[in-house]
């Protein structure tokens, strides 16, 4: 990569994270002999800002406010250096940094991380980050990015927009919380989620494998992901348009403008549209004989997904009374056709069930430095969301699209009865965080998150006097805690100690008996305590070890406590899920043969989860959520990154996990003790390699070829116990190969990429054997001005 | 207080509704609607067959999901059974149990989930083999065999009775019930239980205001359609006032219910409608359609629970019924009232009783533990004996007890020590 391009890239890395553009910090890093130190990490404590030095050891970080900072310089082969700067009276500071060689270490190496997932944080917590900016030109979405991280497995039940279940180190489902800009995503908008966010709207994705930091986390039992939206300063335009197979169209726009008085305006927009009508293996249906016949390659019908998102924000930065004050307005909506339940029906698709969301959100962000050592941040969201679903016909089609004559009239395909349901949700959410620097080495963070959710609904197919949705329901959650970050022995040892308090109050009316239509108002108020401790030991600049322990809770959700007023009953006696999480790992960087940079990260994890909440059938009428068995999770994950040639990089990430049931509350289920939890693969891995050609058509243009490979080992979709292996219950081994080519013009403004996913058209499944897209092609055009 | 797991019974495919992603779980499992079925003592496995010519299939199921096991045996199972460890056991996602015919068993749903009937056989190693499927459009829980060439089944999608070929297991037509009785104001009207007696097919109307009809709601009591099996045509409906649905809740509850003369005994659900809070406690009764008649015997309405002094229950329900011979039958008697309807599924509130249908007497079968009758109300009469299935969650018992009509006591024949709850025990002809 040429100097200029790299500088541009690194400037982007360093500056786009935040936008307080009063102080610019730049400089050059060299060693004792005056040689420049490229690719050194430059981290600004107490901020999300960082940079990586370029080929000439140059770095630059903009958007810092005028105050003191502690800057940490680290690079393989050098001792970590911490310097404190005073920027209170400057608009620019230029540093000359001399790093000392770690005599016992290997030569400096250059590693940017596995799968280009740069590790931006070397915290004691097990956290890694996917730098989405590196993929802005690629035909890849956030789900794909996340799925390639070690320890992470993303299960998706279909194409674009389909439901997503994230597993991190064996924990999955609700145990893994998703956050958007540090707030729980489920309360922020109408259907906004990682399954529909274009990568061009994302700055980075932080993956917390275990402990989530106080100012992000809520009740994440087994970790979480935090999607950091694109944060821009100056004037910026980013327009991209992706299109491809299955009539998929994904335009995305980012606009940002700041005036000379630090007032700014921004707007983001994206649209997702896909018919998702990919080919699947189904069976013809002989209606007369009522039997499935030959296997056919059918089009996955009735799977359309469409979503739009637009936001506008106005704000000001760098005022004495406000580090940042921003007000945002968001409107988003989504529509999807439902084609299958969780289990794929190879004979008859669901043909007329739809789901729709719409929401308006107002958000206020405010932060202010109350003193040199005390920082206050608040985020407040007020949203009104309308969710609706339609399931009101018994018209049935076969997979060839033929309408069956035997079925007609009112009815339902998924639900127990005809439904045209609308639910109004009002959500208020507020997080306040205070950070206090005790000394350069120690700081205290206090944070509180309050969520209030109220809902009320109706089903027009039900007489209002009999409609259980009419009962209003309210759920309040409060998460508070205090965190102490410490640094000891001149940065040799870093510690994090956190206490968390979980509280929820609920007031709702639940359906206690669908047979006699009995409803009962329920009120709850429960409180729990959790804690975690994390350590990181820097053995040398090539190697660090870190470990953490967390005593974590995941609170029952509204639907788990009170049901859904139709087919899921209440269980107010539910206990929260609890887990003891242990993580230990290390990162080692080296330079093979003095020329080939490599990085190796290995993590071990152990979890013991109790009172897992599962939905189970219950009696005549309803399913209910219950605390079920205890589960033990053991495993190891890791990645290996290597750059054998200047223009060639390769990454390998792999995870082995052993997730087994350890107790059964019912004697008749004792046979499952010691068996694997179904629908969780025990091994999966990904590999990718990238080769870049510099100047193929012009002086500074770039052409990059990428190859991606994913493997998921077979696993059973049901509890096998120790019975004879029934192959039909197993989701077979899956191999997915993809290719991509990306071209960037000399100016860097225009980019075009083309990607073929699943080039061999292998069968790909969701965990429950729901088929996913086969071979498909996507093209992306992108234009940026900065 | 720790939330306790209840035991599964019907509608294991309870549809997962929410306005979020939970929406999609709707077809996780797809048990048909838990209404009723039973079949006659028709031409399935010959009575008293050569023990060497028959095999057995045992269905067990997880109490917390539809997952379960099917195990093949070449001898009648005995002793303690560790089902998952047996070499002739296979796991399936959707175990419901059903009925047997010749060399196969019909499971009430597709073994890998979904609405339909699927049959299983055993291979030479007695390992189950999943086989042909009849798809249903709306689910179903009734199968009856007229002879080796014709069988009937119910599809909740419509009132008509479906006709199929037992050999090929393919639908081959339907019997129109367009003229049959229905209650127009009810959302659900379908004939959900089938009994073959001689040349007649009796089909019992299940009707209710909702779909599915959790509560049987009929102002005219039990309704049974009479069908001529020679022509497969509807003849008429017959009625029994003051009663409810005259059948059993699941296909696996199928058992012979016709005596040696051709008299058909129909146990009505009674309080099984479970409108406990509405005050509509219609007692369960055993009705009969005498041999040669095409209508209910208006003088016959037997309530054996009333003859069991040990029973403290005020609600009279029925769960399981087997005619064993010489006027002797077996049924579950409710011993104490449930606090909620689900208790009938989760708690051992019932006891097996031996009843004399002619003399109208009833006595508890000694030596058989209390039973969660709406989970394990299955009874069989293989090898000239009577087998009674027991599931007692409090005492962690899932077992089969054996007795005969000559005595009042029973002894444990086998017990499942691992592998779930017994959902069916079937005698089938050995594959040659």
């Amino acid at each position: 990569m040429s100097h200029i391009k790299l500088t541009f890239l690194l400037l982007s890395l360093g500056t786009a994270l935040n936008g307080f553009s009063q102080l610019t910090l730049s400089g050059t890093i060299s060693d004792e002999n005056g040689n420049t130190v490229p690719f050194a990490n430059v981290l600004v404590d107490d901020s999300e800002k960082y940079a990586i030095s370029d080929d000439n050891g140059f770095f630059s970080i903009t958007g810092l406010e005028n105050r003191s900072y502690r800057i940490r310089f680290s690079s393989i082969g050098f001792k970590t250096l911490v310097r404190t700067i005073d920027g209170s009276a400057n608009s620019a500071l230029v540093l000359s940094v001399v790093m000392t060689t770690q005599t016992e270490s290997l030569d400096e190496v250059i590693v940017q991380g596995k799968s280009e997932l740069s590790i931006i944080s070397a915290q004691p917590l097990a956290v890694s980050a996917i730098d989405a900016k590196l993929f802005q030109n690629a035909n890849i979405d956030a789900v794909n990015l996340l799925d390639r991280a070690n320890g992470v497995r993303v299960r998706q039940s279909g194409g674009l927009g389909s439901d997503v279940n994230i597993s991190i180190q064996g924990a999955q489902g609700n145990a893994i919380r998703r956050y958007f800009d540090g707030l729980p995503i489920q309360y922020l908008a109408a259907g906004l989620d990682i399954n529909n966010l274009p990568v061009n709207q994302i700055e980075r994705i932080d993956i917390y494998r275990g402990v989530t930091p106080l100012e992000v986390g809520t009740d994440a039992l087994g970790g979480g992901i935090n999607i950091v939206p694109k944060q821009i300063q100056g004037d910026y335009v980013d327009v991209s348009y992706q299109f491809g197979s299955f009539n998929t169209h994904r335009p995305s726009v980012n606009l940002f403008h700041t005036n000379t008085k630090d007032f700014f305006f921004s707007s983001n927009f994206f649209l997702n549209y896909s018919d998702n009508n990919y080919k699947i293996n189904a069976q013809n249906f002989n209606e007369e004989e009522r039997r499935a016949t030959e296997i056919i390659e059918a089009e996955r019908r009735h799977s359309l997904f469409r979503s739009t998102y637009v936001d506008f924000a106005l704000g000001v930065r760098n005022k004495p009374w406000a580090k940042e004050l921003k007000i945002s307005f968001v409107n988003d909506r989504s529509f999807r056709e439902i084609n299958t339940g969780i289990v794929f029906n190879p004979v008859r698709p669901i043909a007329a069930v739809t789901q729709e969301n719409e929401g308006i959100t107002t958000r206020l962000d405010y932060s202010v430095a109350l003193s040199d050592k005390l920082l206050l941040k608040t985020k407040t969201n007020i949203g009104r969301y309308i969710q609706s679903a339609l399931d009101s016909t018994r018209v049935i089609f076969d997979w060839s699209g033929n309408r069956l004559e035997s079925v007609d009239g009112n009815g339902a395909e998924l639900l127990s009865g005809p439904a045209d349901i609308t639910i109004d949700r009002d959500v208020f959410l507020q997080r306040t965080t205070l950070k206090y620097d005790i000394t350069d080495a120690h700081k205290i963070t206090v944070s509180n998150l309050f969520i209030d959710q109220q809902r009320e609904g109706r089903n027009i197919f039900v007489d209002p006097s009999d409609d259980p949705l009419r009962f209003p329901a309210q759920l309040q959650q409060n998460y508070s805690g205090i965190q102490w970050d410490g640094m000891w022995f001149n940065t040799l040892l870093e510690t994090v100690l956190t206490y968390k308090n979980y509280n929820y109050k609920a007031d709702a009316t639940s359906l206690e008996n669908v047979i006699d239509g009995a409803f009962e108002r329920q009120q709850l108020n429960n409180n729990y305590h959790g804690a975690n401790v994390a350590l990181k030991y820097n053995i040398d600049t090539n190697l660090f070890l870190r470990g953490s322990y967390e005593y974590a809770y995941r609170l029952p959700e509204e639907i788990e406590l009170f049901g859904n007023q139709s087919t899921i009953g209440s269980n107010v006696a539910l206990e929260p899920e609890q887990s003891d999480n242990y993580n230990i790992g290390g990162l080692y960087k080296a330079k093979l043969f003095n020329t080939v940079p490599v990085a190796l990260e290995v993590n071990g994890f152990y979890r013991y989860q109790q009172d897992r909440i599962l939905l189970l059938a219950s009696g005549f009428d309803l399913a209910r959520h219950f605390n079920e068995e205890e589960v033990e999770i053991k495993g190891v994950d890791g990645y290996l990154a290597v750059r054998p040639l200047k223009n060639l990089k390769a990454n390998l990430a792999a995870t082995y996990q052993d997730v087994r049931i350890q107790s059964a509350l019912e004697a008749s289920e004792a046979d499952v003790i010691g068996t694997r939890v179904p629908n969780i693969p025990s091994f999966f891995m990904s590999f990718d390699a990238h080769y870049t050609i510099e100047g193929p058509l012009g002086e500074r243009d770039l052409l990059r070829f990428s190859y991606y490979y994913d493997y998921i080992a077979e696993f059973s979709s049901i509890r096998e116990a120790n019975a004879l292996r029934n192959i039909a219950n197993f989701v077979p081994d899956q191999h997915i190969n993809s290719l991509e080519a990306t071209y960037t013009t000399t100016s860097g403004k225009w980019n075009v990429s083309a990607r073929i996913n699943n080039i061999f058209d292998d069968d790909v499944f969701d965990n429950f054997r729901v088929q996913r897209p086969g071979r498909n092609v996507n093209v992306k055009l992108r234009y940026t001005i900065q | 207080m720790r939330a306790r797991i209840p035991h599964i019974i019907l509608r294991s495919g309870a549809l997962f509704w929410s306005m979020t992603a939970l929406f999609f779980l709707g077809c996780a499992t797809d048990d048909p609607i838990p209404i009723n079925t039973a079949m006659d003592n028709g031409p399935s496995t010959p009575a008293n067959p050569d023990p060497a010519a028959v095999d057995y299939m045992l269905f067990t199921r997880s109490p917390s999901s539809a997952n379960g096991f099917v195990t093949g045996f070449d001898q009648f199972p005995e002793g303690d059974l560790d089902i998952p460890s047996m070499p002739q056991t296979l796991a399936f996602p959707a175990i419901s149990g059903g009925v047997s015919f010749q060399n196969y068993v019909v499971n009430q749903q597709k073994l890998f989930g979904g609405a339909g009937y699927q049959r299983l056989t055993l291979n030479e190693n007695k390992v189950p083999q999943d086989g042909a499927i009849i798809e249903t459009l709306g689910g179903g829980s009734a199968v009856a065999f007229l002879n080796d060439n014709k069988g009937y089944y119910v599809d909740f999608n419509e009132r008509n009775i479906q006709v199929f070929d037992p050999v090929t297991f393919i639908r081959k037509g339907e019997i129109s019930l367009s003229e049959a009785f229905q209650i127009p104001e009810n959302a659900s009207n379908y004939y959900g239980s089938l009994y073959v007696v001689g040349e007649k097919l009796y089909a019992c109307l299940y009707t209710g205001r909702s779909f599915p009809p959790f509560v049987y709601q009929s102002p005219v009591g039990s309704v049974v359609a009479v069908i001529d099996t020679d022509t497969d045509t509807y003849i008429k409906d017959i009625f029994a006032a003051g009663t409810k649905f005259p059948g059993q809740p699941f296909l696996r509850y199928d058992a012979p219910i016709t005596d040696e003369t051709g008299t058909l005994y129909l146990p009505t659900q009674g309080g099984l409608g479970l409108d406990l809070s509405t005050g509509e406690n219609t007692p369960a009764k055993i009705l009969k359609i005498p041999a040669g008649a095409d209508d209910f015997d208006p003088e016959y309405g037997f309530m054996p629970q009333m003859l069991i002094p040990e029973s403290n229950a005020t609600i009279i329900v029925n769960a399981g019924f087997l005619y064993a011979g010489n006027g002797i039958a077996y049924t579950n008697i409710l011993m104490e009232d449930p606090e909620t309807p689900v208790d009938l599924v989760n708690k051992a509130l019932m006891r097996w009783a031996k009843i004399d249908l002619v003399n109208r007497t009833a006595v508890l079968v000694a030596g058989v533990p209390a039973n969660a009758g709406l989970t394990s109300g299955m009874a069989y009469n293989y090898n000239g004996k009577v087998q009674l299935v027991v599931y007692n969650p409090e005492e962690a018992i899932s077992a089969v007890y054996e007795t005969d009509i000559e005595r009042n006591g029973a002894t444990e024949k086998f017990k499942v020590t691992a592998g779930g709850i017994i959902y069916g025990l079937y005698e089938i002809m050995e594959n040659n």
Side-chain angles (χ1 to χ4, degrees), chain A residues 27-31 35-38 40 42 53 56-59 73 97 99:
Chain A
T28 305
I29 305 174
S30 58
D31 63 14
N35 300 316
T36 57
V37 179
V42 184
S53 61
N56 298 313
F58 175 77
F59 69 92
F73 302 89
V97 181
M99 298 187 71

Side-chain angles (χ1 to χ4, degrees), chain A residues 163 288 290 338 342 348 355 389 394 406 414-416 516 564 567 611 616 620 626 666 669 723-724 726 729, chain B residues 2 4 6-7 10 15 17 19 21 24-25 62-64 84 89 91 135-136 157 171 211 274 277 374 420:
Chain A
D163 191 28
E288 182 62 29
R290 300 290 162 85
I338 309 301
I342 196 167
R348 297 190 307 274
Q355 185 183 23
R394 293 168 65 201
S406 309
L414 266 180
L415 304 181
S416 58
D516 57 19
N564 62 1
T567 55
D611 291 327
L616 303 174
F620 290 96
F626 295 95
E666 298 294 326
E669 280 206 304
L724 198 63
N726 189 351
N729 295 326
Chain B
R2 187 187 186 93
R4 184 174 166 279
H7 302 285
L10 41 90
L15 298 168
W17 171 258
M19 295 307 301
F24 299 97
L25 194 56
S62 160
S64 59
T89 294
E135 301 279 344
T136 55
N157 176 63
R171 175 186 181 267
F211 184 88
L274 294 176
S277 63
L374 282 185

